[in-house]
Amino acid sequence: DSLRPLVARINAARHDHPALQQDWTLRFCATDNESLLCYAKTAPGGDAIVTVVNLDPRNVQSGFVTLDLAALGLADDAGYNMRDLMGTATYRWRGARNFVRLDPAGIPAHVFHVRPARAAPADPAR
């Protein structure tokens, strides 16, 4: 098993996202599990990344992370999308506190690109 595909995804994410090209805005986020590390980075223009890492190399770890929504350019009550740059999944989150589960046998970390959720288009029949 090679780390080459994982390293390639990380390098592509770093190339595509200005927030991953600097550390000036690095903010650590609270978790309720000491085996999870969470941090956020932003860049001018609205690029926002949240990374959550399982620090336990042998066991699945889960818990809640609490984000600083204002620092990410998000309103407290708005939903937002978290697209995992290490995989293909996109999650819909709402509010500052959300649940994560990371399995070291699969992908031991999420590198999320944070995007405000778009409002549903108006129903033309109304």
Side-chain angles (χ1 to χ4, degrees), residues 1-15 20 51-54 84-88 102-111:
D1 294 66
S2 173
L3 291 176
R4 182 174 288 180
L6 179 63
V7 171
R9 285 193 302 261
I10 290 169
N11 284 336
R14 199 169 43 188
H15 178 267
L20 293 173
T51 301
V52 186
V53 179
N54 179 352
D84 190 355
L85 301 175
M86 297 297 98
T88 59
L102 291 167
D103 184 348
I107 295 179
H110 289 302
V111 178

PDB file of all heavy atoms in Angstrom, residues 1-15 20 51-54 84-88 102-111:
ATOM      1  N   ASP A   1       0.836  -1.181   0.000  1.00  0.00           N
ATOM      2  CA  ASP A   1       0.000   0.000   0.000  1.00  0.00           C
ATOM      3  C   ASP A   1       0.883   1.247   0.000  1.00  0.00           C
ATOM      4  O   ASP A   1       1.716   1.409   0.875  1.00  0.00           O
ATOM      5  CB  ASP A   1      -0.901   0.002   1.227  1.00  0.00           C
ATOM      6  CG  ASP A   1      -1.903  -1.127   1.185  1.00  0.00           C
ATOM      7  OD1 ASP A   1      -1.473  -2.283   1.251  1.00  0.00           O
ATOM      8  OD2 ASP A   1      -3.091  -0.832   1.067  1.00  0.00           O
ATOM      9  N   SER A   2       0.646   2.088  -0.958  1.00  0.00           N
ATOM     10  CA  SER A   2       1.439   3.290  -1.126  1.00  0.00           C
ATOM     11  C   SER A   2       0.699   4.513  -0.604  1.00  0.00           C
ATOM     12  O   SER A   2      -0.528   4.605  -0.688  1.00  0.00           O
ATOM     13  CB  SER A   2       1.750   3.484  -2.612  1.00  0.00           C
ATOM     14  OG  SER A   2       2.382   4.717  -2.833  1.00  0.00           O
ATOM     15  N   LEU A   3       1.453   5.457  -0.080  1.00  0.00           N
ATOM     16  CA  LEU A   3       0.894   6.744   0.333  1.00  0.00           C
ATOM     17  C   LEU A   3       0.795   7.718  -0.838  1.00  0.00           C
ATOM     18  O   LEU A   3       0.277   8.817  -0.683  1.00  0.00           O
ATOM     19  CB  LEU A   3       1.757   7.364   1.439  1.00  0.00           C
ATOM     20  CG  LEU A   3       1.733   6.667   2.786  1.00  0.00           C
ATOM     21  CD1 LEU A   3       2.712   7.332   3.737  1.00  0.00           C
ATOM     22  CD2 LEU A   3       0.335   6.673   3.355  1.00  0.00           C
ATOM     23  N   ARG A   4       1.273   7.307  -1.997  1.00  0.00           N
ATOM     24  CA  ARG A   4       1.314   8.194  -3.160  1.00  0.00           C
ATOM     25  C   ARG A   4      -0.049   8.821  -3.484  1.00  0.00           C
ATOM     26  O   ARG A   4      -0.119  10.034  -3.689  1.00  0.00           O
ATOM     27  CB  ARG A   4       1.870   7.468  -4.360  1.00  0.00           C
ATOM     28  CG  ARG A   4       1.986   8.365  -5.586  1.00  0.00           C
ATOM     29  CD  ARG A   4       2.662   7.673  -6.704  1.00  0.00           C
ATOM     30  NE  ARG A   4       4.074   7.575  -6.326  1.00  0.00           N
ATOM     31  CZ  ARG A   4       4.989   7.024  -7.075  1.00  0.00           C
ATOM     32  NH1 ARG A   4       4.672   6.498  -8.232  1.00  0.00           N
ATOM     33  NH2 ARG A   4       6.238   6.985  -6.680  1.00  0.00           N
ATOM     34  N   PRO A   5      -1.168   8.065  -3.531  1.00  0.00           N
ATOM     35  CA  PRO A   5      -2.463   8.698  -3.848  1.00  0.00           C
ATOM     36  C   PRO A   5      -2.883   9.738  -2.802  1.00  0.00           C
ATOM     37  O   PRO A   5      -3.403  10.799  -3.156  1.00  0.00           O
ATOM     38  CB  PRO A   5      -3.444   7.528  -3.885  1.00  0.00           C
ATOM     39  CG  PRO A   5      -2.609   6.317  -4.130  1.00  0.00           C
ATOM     40  CD  PRO A   5      -1.297   6.598  -3.465  1.00  0.00           C
ATOM     41  N   LEU A   6      -2.637   9.452  -1.535  1.00  0.00           N
ATOM     42  CA  LEU A   6      -2.988  10.397  -0.470  1.00  0.00           C
ATOM     43  C   LEU A   6      -2.152  11.670  -0.575  1.00  0.00           C
ATOM     44  O   LEU A   6      -2.683  12.786  -0.501  1.00  0.00           O
ATOM     45  CB  LEU A   6      -2.817   9.750   0.906  1.00  0.00           C
ATOM     46  CG  LEU A   6      -3.129  10.632   2.098  1.00  0.00           C
ATOM     47  CD1 LEU A   6      -4.594  11.053   2.098  1.00  0.00           C
ATOM     48  CD2 LEU A   6      -2.773   9.910   3.389  1.00  0.00           C
ATOM     49  N   VAL A   7      -0.864  11.510  -0.780  1.00  0.00           N
ATOM     50  CA  VAL A   7       0.022  12.671  -0.912  1.00  0.00           C
ATOM     51  C   VAL A   7      -0.364  13.488  -2.147  1.00  0.00           C
ATOM     52  O   VAL A   7      -0.372  14.727  -2.105  1.00  0.00           O
ATOM     53  CB  VAL A   7       1.503  12.227  -0.961  1.00  0.00           C
ATOM     54  CG1 VAL A   7       2.415  13.395  -1.322  1.00  0.00           C
ATOM     55  CG2 VAL A   7       1.910  11.620   0.373  1.00  0.00           C
ATOM     56  N   ALA A   8      -0.748  12.831  -3.226  1.00  0.00           N
ATOM     57  CA  ALA A   8      -1.174  13.545  -4.429  1.00  0.00           C
ATOM     58  C   ALA A   8      -2.434  14.361  -4.160  1.00  0.00           C
ATOM     59  O   ALA A   8      -2.545  15.509  -4.612  1.00  0.00           O
ATOM     60  CB  ALA A   8      -1.413  12.562  -5.573  1.00  0.00           C
ATOM     61  N   ARG A   9      -3.391  13.800  -3.413  1.00  0.00           N
ATOM     62  CA  ARG A   9      -4.614  14.550  -3.085  1.00  0.00           C
ATOM     63  C   ARG A   9      -4.296  15.751  -2.207  1.00  0.00           C
ATOM     64  O   ARG A   9      -4.847  16.837  -2.383  1.00  0.00           O
ATOM     65  CB  ARG A   9      -5.635  13.638  -2.405  1.00  0.00           C
ATOM     66  CG  ARG A   9      -6.323  12.699  -3.374  1.00  0.00           C
ATOM     67  CD  ARG A   9      -7.535  12.032  -2.756  1.00  0.00           C
ATOM     68  NE  ARG A   9      -7.256  11.281  -1.554  1.00  0.00           N
ATOM     69  CZ  ARG A   9      -7.083   9.962  -1.501  1.00  0.00           C
ATOM     70  NH1 ARG A   9      -7.168   9.237  -2.594  1.00  0.00           N
ATOM     71  NH2 ARG A   9      -6.846   9.374  -0.353  1.00  0.00           N
ATOM     72  N   ILE A  10      -3.422  15.561  -1.237  1.00  0.00           N
ATOM     73  CA  ILE A  10      -3.039  16.667  -0.350  1.00  0.00           C
ATOM     74  C   ILE A  10      -2.350  17.773  -1.151  1.00  0.00           C
ATOM     75  O   ILE A  10      -2.655  18.956  -0.991  1.00  0.00           O
ATOM     76  CB  ILE A  10      -2.138  16.167   0.795  1.00  0.00           C
ATOM     77  CG1 ILE A  10      -2.954  15.302   1.753  1.00  0.00           C
ATOM     78  CG2 ILE A  10      -1.483  17.328   1.534  1.00  0.00           C
ATOM     79  CD1 ILE A  10      -2.119  14.556   2.769  1.00  0.00           C
ATOM     80  N   ASN A  11      -1.435  17.401  -2.029  1.00  0.00           N
ATOM     81  CA  ASN A  11      -0.736  18.408  -2.843  1.00  0.00           C
ATOM     82  C   ASN A  11      -1.688  19.131  -3.786  1.00  0.00           C
ATOM     83  O   ASN A  11      -1.570  20.342  -3.986  1.00  0.00           O
ATOM     84  CB  ASN A  11       0.414  17.778  -3.604  1.00  0.00           C
ATOM     85  CG  ASN A  11       1.602  17.492  -2.714  1.00  0.00           C
ATOM     86  OD1 ASN A  11       1.786  18.119  -1.670  1.00  0.00           O
ATOM     87  ND2 ASN A  11       2.411  16.521  -3.104  1.00  0.00           N
ATOM     88  N   ALA A  12      -2.654  18.413  -4.365  1.00  0.00           N
ATOM     89  CA  ALA A  12      -3.645  19.056  -5.240  1.00  0.00           C
ATOM     90  C   ALA A  12      -4.495  20.037  -4.444  1.00  0.00           C
ATOM     91  O   ALA A  12      -4.762  21.157  -4.907  1.00  0.00           O
ATOM     92  CB  ALA A  12      -4.526  18.001  -5.905  1.00  0.00           C
ATOM     93  N   ALA A  13      -4.911  19.643  -3.236  1.00  0.00           N
ATOM     94  CA  ALA A  13      -5.712  20.540  -2.388  1.00  0.00           C
ATOM     95  C   ALA A  13      -4.908  21.783  -2.033  1.00  0.00           C
ATOM     96  O   ALA A  13      -5.421  22.907  -2.082  1.00  0.00           O
ATOM     97  CB  ALA A  13      -6.160  19.813  -1.133  1.00  0.00           C
ATOM     98  N   ARG A  14      -3.655  21.605  -1.695  1.00  0.00           N
ATOM     99  CA  ARG A  14      -2.808  22.750  -1.346  1.00  0.00           C
ATOM    100  C   ARG A  14      -2.620  23.683  -2.536  1.00  0.00           C
ATOM    101  O   ARG A  14      -2.639  24.908  -2.389  1.00  0.00           O
ATOM    102  CB  ARG A  14      -1.461  22.240  -0.835  1.00  0.00           C
ATOM    103  CG  ARG A  14      -0.714  23.247  -0.041  1.00  0.00           C
ATOM    104  CD  ARG A  14       0.453  22.673   0.670  1.00  0.00           C
ATOM    105  NE  ARG A  14       1.190  21.763  -0.187  1.00  0.00           N
ATOM    106  CZ  ARG A  14       2.180  21.001   0.221  1.00  0.00           C
ATOM    107  NH1 ARG A  14       2.535  21.024   1.468  1.00  0.00           N
ATOM    108  NH2 ARG A  14       2.806  20.214  -0.602  1.00  0.00           N
ATOM    109  N   HIS A  15      -2.497  23.127  -3.710  1.00  0.00           N
ATOM    110  CA  HIS A  15      -2.355  23.940  -4.926  1.00  0.00           C
ATOM    111  C   HIS A  15      -3.630  24.729  -5.228  1.00  0.00           C
ATOM    112  O   HIS A  15      -3.570  25.874  -5.655  1.00  0.00           O
ATOM    113  CB  HIS A  15      -2.002  23.034  -6.105  1.00  0.00           C
ATOM    114  CG  HIS A  15      -1.873  23.763  -7.394  1.00  0.00           C
ATOM    115  ND1 HIS A  15      -2.913  23.917  -8.277  1.00  0.00           N
ATOM    116  CD2 HIS A  15      -0.817  24.403  -7.948  1.00  0.00           C
ATOM    117  CE1 HIS A  15      -2.521  24.611  -9.309  1.00  0.00           C
ATOM    118  NE2 HIS A  15      -1.247  24.918  -9.146  1.00  0.00           N
ATOM    119  N   LEU A  20      -4.617  26.917   2.281  1.00  0.00           N
ATOM    120  CA  LEU A  20      -3.625  25.888   2.621  1.00  0.00           C
ATOM    121  C   LEU A  20      -2.204  26.297   2.253  1.00  0.00           C
ATOM    122  O   LEU A  20      -1.267  25.543   2.483  1.00  0.00           O
ATOM    123  CB  LEU A  20      -3.981  24.572   1.923  1.00  0.00           C
ATOM    124  CG  LEU A  20      -5.258  23.918   2.403  1.00  0.00           C
ATOM    125  CD1 LEU A  20      -5.600  22.707   1.532  1.00  0.00           C
ATOM    126  CD2 LEU A  20      -5.136  23.516   3.867  1.00  0.00           C
ATOM    127  N   THR A  51      -9.729  21.213   8.912  1.00  0.00           N
ATOM    128  CA  THR A  51      -9.095  19.896   8.928  1.00  0.00           C
ATOM    129  C   THR A  51      -9.377  19.232  10.271  1.00  0.00           C
ATOM    130  O   THR A  51      -9.233  19.859  11.316  1.00  0.00           O
ATOM    131  CB  THR A  51      -7.577  20.031   8.713  1.00  0.00           C
ATOM    132  OG1 THR A  51      -7.355  20.687   7.457  1.00  0.00           O
ATOM    133  CG2 THR A  51      -6.887  18.689   8.706  1.00  0.00           C
ATOM    134  N   VAL A  52      -9.778  17.961  10.213  1.00  0.00           N
ATOM    135  CA  VAL A  52      -9.997  17.165  11.408  1.00  0.00           C
ATOM    136  C   VAL A  52      -9.175  15.892  11.252  1.00  0.00           C
ATOM    137  O   VAL A  52      -9.285  15.196  10.237  1.00  0.00           O
ATOM    138  CB  VAL A  52     -11.481  16.799  11.620  1.00  0.00           C
ATOM    139  CG1 VAL A  52     -11.671  16.099  12.959  1.00  0.00           C
ATOM    140  CG2 VAL A  52     -12.379  18.017  11.514  1.00  0.00           C
ATOM    141  N   VAL A  53      -8.342  15.582  12.247  1.00  0.00           N
ATOM    142  CA  VAL A  53      -7.424  14.452  12.166  1.00  0.00           C
ATOM    143  C   VAL A  53      -7.646  13.518  13.351  1.00  0.00           C
ATOM    144  O   VAL A  53      -7.770  13.974  14.493  1.00  0.00           O
ATOM    145  CB  VAL A  53      -5.956  14.948  12.181  1.00  0.00           C
ATOM    146  CG1 VAL A  53      -4.983  13.788  12.132  1.00  0.00           C
ATOM    147  CG2 VAL A  53      -5.710  15.918  11.046  1.00  0.00           C
ATOM    148  N   ASN A  54      -7.659  12.215  13.071  1.00  0.00           N
ATOM    149  CA  ASN A  54      -7.673  11.188  14.111  1.00  0.00           C
ATOM    150  C   ASN A  54      -6.225  10.948  14.520  1.00  0.00           C
ATOM    151  O   ASN A  54      -5.409  10.494  13.711  1.00  0.00           O
ATOM    152  CB  ASN A  54      -8.303   9.906  13.562  1.00  0.00           C
ATOM    153  CG  ASN A  54      -8.343   8.779  14.576  1.00  0.00           C
ATOM    154  OD1 ASN A  54      -7.780   8.881  15.658  1.00  0.00           O
ATOM    155  ND2 ASN A  54      -9.005   7.698  14.212  1.00  0.00           N
ATOM    156  N   ASP A  84     -15.161  17.133   1.417  1.00  0.00           N
ATOM    157  CA  ASP A  84     -13.928  16.500   1.847  1.00  0.00           C
ATOM    158  C   ASP A  84     -12.965  16.388   0.670  1.00  0.00           C
ATOM    159  O   ASP A  84     -13.232  15.665  -0.292  1.00  0.00           O
ATOM    160  CB  ASP A  84     -14.221  15.117   2.430  1.00  0.00           C
ATOM    161  CG  ASP A  84     -13.022  14.501   3.114  1.00  0.00           C
ATOM    162  OD1 ASP A  84     -11.920  15.083   3.072  1.00  0.00           O
ATOM    163  OD2 ASP A  84     -13.183  13.418   3.702  1.00  0.00           O
ATOM    164  N   LEU A  85     -11.863  17.096   0.740  1.00  0.00           N
ATOM    165  CA  LEU A  85     -10.883  17.103  -0.336  1.00  0.00           C
ATOM    166  C   LEU A  85     -10.045  15.828  -0.374  1.00  0.00           C
ATOM    167  O   LEU A  85      -9.347  15.572  -1.351  1.00  0.00           O
ATOM    168  CB  LEU A  85      -9.962  18.328  -0.210  1.00  0.00           C
ATOM    169  CG  LEU A  85     -10.674  19.679  -0.246  1.00  0.00           C
ATOM    170  CD1 LEU A  85      -9.684  20.804   0.015  1.00  0.00           C
ATOM    171  CD2 LEU A  85     -11.411  19.873  -1.556  1.00  0.00           C
ATOM    172  N   MET A  86     -10.120  14.994   0.655  1.00  0.00           N
ATOM    173  CA  MET A  86      -9.397  13.726   0.679  1.00  0.00           C
ATOM    174  C   MET A  86     -10.230  12.585   0.111  1.00  0.00           C
ATOM    175  O   MET A  86      -9.720  11.514  -0.167  1.00  0.00           O
ATOM    176  CB  MET A  86      -8.961  13.368   2.107  1.00  0.00           C
ATOM    177  CG  MET A  86      -7.990  14.353   2.711  1.00  0.00           C
ATOM    178  SD  MET A  86      -6.417  14.440   1.819  1.00  0.00           S
ATOM    179  CE  MET A  86      -6.638  15.864   0.798  1.00  0.00           C
ATOM    180  N   GLY A  87     -11.516  12.800  -0.031  1.00  0.00           N
ATOM    181  CA  GLY A  87     -12.418  11.789  -0.580  1.00  0.00           C
ATOM    182  C   GLY A  87     -13.368  12.443  -1.555  1.00  0.00           C
ATOM    183  O   GLY A  87     -13.031  13.426  -2.203  1.00  0.00           O
ATOM    184  N   THR A  88     -14.575  11.917  -1.631  1.00  0.00           N
ATOM    185  CA  THR A  88     -15.552  12.470  -2.567  1.00  0.00           C
ATOM    186  C   THR A  88     -16.808  12.956  -1.861  1.00  0.00           C
ATOM    187  O   THR A  88     -17.713  13.466  -2.510  1.00  0.00           O
ATOM    188  CB  THR A  88     -15.958  11.409  -3.597  1.00  0.00           C
ATOM    189  OG1 THR A  88     -16.520  10.283  -2.917  1.00  0.00           O
ATOM    190  CG2 THR A  88     -14.757  10.960  -4.424  1.00  0.00           C
ATOM    191  N   LEU A 102     -13.785   9.250  12.401  1.00  0.00           N
ATOM    192  CA  LEU A 102     -12.637   8.979  11.540  1.00  0.00           C
ATOM    193  C   LEU A 102     -12.054   7.603  11.853  1.00  0.00           C
ATOM    194  O   LEU A 102     -11.799   7.270  13.007  1.00  0.00           O
ATOM    195  CB  LEU A 102     -11.567  10.052  11.720  1.00  0.00           C
ATOM    196  CG  LEU A 102     -11.952  11.436  11.194  1.00  0.00           C
ATOM    197  CD1 LEU A 102     -10.997  12.490  11.696  1.00  0.00           C
ATOM    198  CD2 LEU A 102     -11.996  11.423   9.685  1.00  0.00           C
ATOM    199  N   ASP A 103     -11.836   6.834  10.793  1.00  0.00           N
ATOM    200  CA  ASP A 103     -11.313   5.473  10.900  1.00  0.00           C
ATOM    201  C   ASP A 103      -9.908   5.441  10.300  1.00  0.00           C
ATOM    202  O   ASP A 103      -9.742   5.689   9.101  1.00  0.00           O
ATOM    203  CB  ASP A 103     -12.237   4.528  10.132  1.00  0.00           C
ATOM    204  CG  ASP A 103     -11.841   3.069  10.260  1.00  0.00           C
ATOM    205  OD1 ASP A 103     -10.729   2.776  10.745  1.00  0.00           O
ATOM    206  OD2 ASP A 103     -12.661   2.224   9.856  1.00  0.00           O
ATOM    207  N   PRO A 104      -8.879   5.121  11.100  1.00  0.00           N
ATOM    208  CA  PRO A 104      -7.518   5.114  10.559  1.00  0.00           C
ATOM    209  C   PRO A 104      -7.303   4.043   9.485  1.00  0.00           C
ATOM    210  O   PRO A 104      -6.366   4.148   8.698  1.00  0.00           O
ATOM    211  CB  PRO A 104      -6.639   4.859  11.790  1.00  0.00           C
ATOM    212  CG  PRO A 104      -7.543   4.202  12.770  1.00  0.00           C
ATOM    213  CD  PRO A 104      -8.912   4.748  12.513  1.00  0.00           C
ATOM    214  N   ALA A 105      -8.173   3.045   9.431  1.00  0.00           N
ATOM    215  CA  ALA A 105      -8.049   2.028   8.381  1.00  0.00           C
ATOM    216  C   ALA A 105      -8.531   2.553   7.036  1.00  0.00           C
ATOM    217  O   ALA A 105      -8.192   2.001   5.991  1.00  0.00           O
ATOM    218  CB  ALA A 105      -8.846   0.779   8.764  1.00  0.00           C
ATOM    219  N   GLY A 106      -9.326   3.610   7.058  1.00  0.00           N
ATOM    220  CA  GLY A 106      -9.806   4.231   5.821  1.00  0.00           C
ATOM    221  C   GLY A 106      -9.061   5.529   5.617  1.00  0.00           C
ATOM    222  O   GLY A 106      -7.866   5.555   5.339  1.00  0.00           O
ATOM    223  N   ILE A 107      -9.771   6.622   5.790  1.00  0.00           N
ATOM    224  CA  ILE A 107      -9.150   7.947   5.721  1.00  0.00           C
ATOM    225  C   ILE A 107      -9.094   8.497   7.147  1.00  0.00           C
ATOM    226  O   ILE A 107     -10.129   8.724   7.768  1.00  0.00           O
ATOM    227  CB  ILE A 107      -9.934   8.887   4.790  1.00  0.00           C
ATOM    228  CG1 ILE A 107      -9.870   8.356   3.358  1.00  0.00           C
ATOM    229  CG2 ILE A 107      -9.364  10.294   4.849  1.00  0.00           C
ATOM    230  CD1 ILE A 107     -10.622   9.185   2.350  1.00  0.00           C
ATOM    231  N   PRO A 108      -7.897   8.706   7.692  1.00  0.00           N
ATOM    232  CA  PRO A 108      -7.763   9.128   9.088  1.00  0.00           C
ATOM    233  C   PRO A 108      -7.963  10.628   9.314  1.00  0.00           C
ATOM    234  O   PRO A 108      -7.812  11.104  10.432  1.00  0.00           O
ATOM    235  CB  PRO A 108      -6.342   8.719   9.442  1.00  0.00           C
ATOM    236  CG  PRO A 108      -5.609   8.794   8.147  1.00  0.00           C
ATOM    237  CD  PRO A 108      -6.605   8.390   7.088  1.00  0.00           C
ATOM    238  N   ALA A 109      -8.302  11.357   8.249  1.00  0.00           N
ATOM    239  CA  ALA A 109      -8.479  12.807   8.376  1.00  0.00           C
ATOM    240  C   ALA A 109      -9.463  13.308   7.329  1.00  0.00           C
ATOM    241  O   ALA A 109      -9.616  12.712   6.266  1.00  0.00           O
ATOM    242  CB  ALA A 109      -7.148  13.530   8.200  1.00  0.00           C
ATOM    243  N   HIS A 110     -10.117  14.409   7.675  1.00  0.00           N
ATOM    244  CA  HIS A 110     -10.922  15.158   6.713  1.00  0.00           C
ATOM    245  C   HIS A 110     -10.214  16.482   6.473  1.00  0.00           C
ATOM    246  O   HIS A 110      -9.756  17.120   7.418  1.00  0.00           O
ATOM    247  CB  HIS A 110     -12.307  15.495   7.272  1.00  0.00           C
ATOM    248  CG  HIS A 110     -13.238  14.350   7.414  1.00  0.00           C
ATOM    249  ND1 HIS A 110     -13.622  13.539   6.369  1.00  0.00           N
ATOM    250  CD2 HIS A 110     -13.905  13.892   8.499  1.00  0.00           C
ATOM    251  CE1 HIS A 110     -14.474  12.638   6.787  1.00  0.00           C
ATOM    252  NE2 HIS A 110     -14.657  12.818   8.078  1.00  0.00           N
ATOM    253  N   VAL A 111     -10.129  16.895   5.227  1.00  0.00           N
ATOM    254  CA  VAL A 111      -9.705  18.239   4.880  1.00  0.00           C
ATOM    255  C   VAL A 111     -10.897  18.824   4.130  1.00  0.00           C
ATOM    256  O   VAL A 111     -11.130  18.510   2.962  1.00  0.00           O
ATOM    257  CB  VAL A 111      -8.428  18.255   4.019  1.00  0.00           C
ATOM    258  CG1 VAL A 111      -8.046  19.683   3.651  1.00  0.00           C
ATOM    259  CG2 VAL A 111      -7.286  17.561   4.745  1.00  0.00           C
TER     260      VAL A 111
END
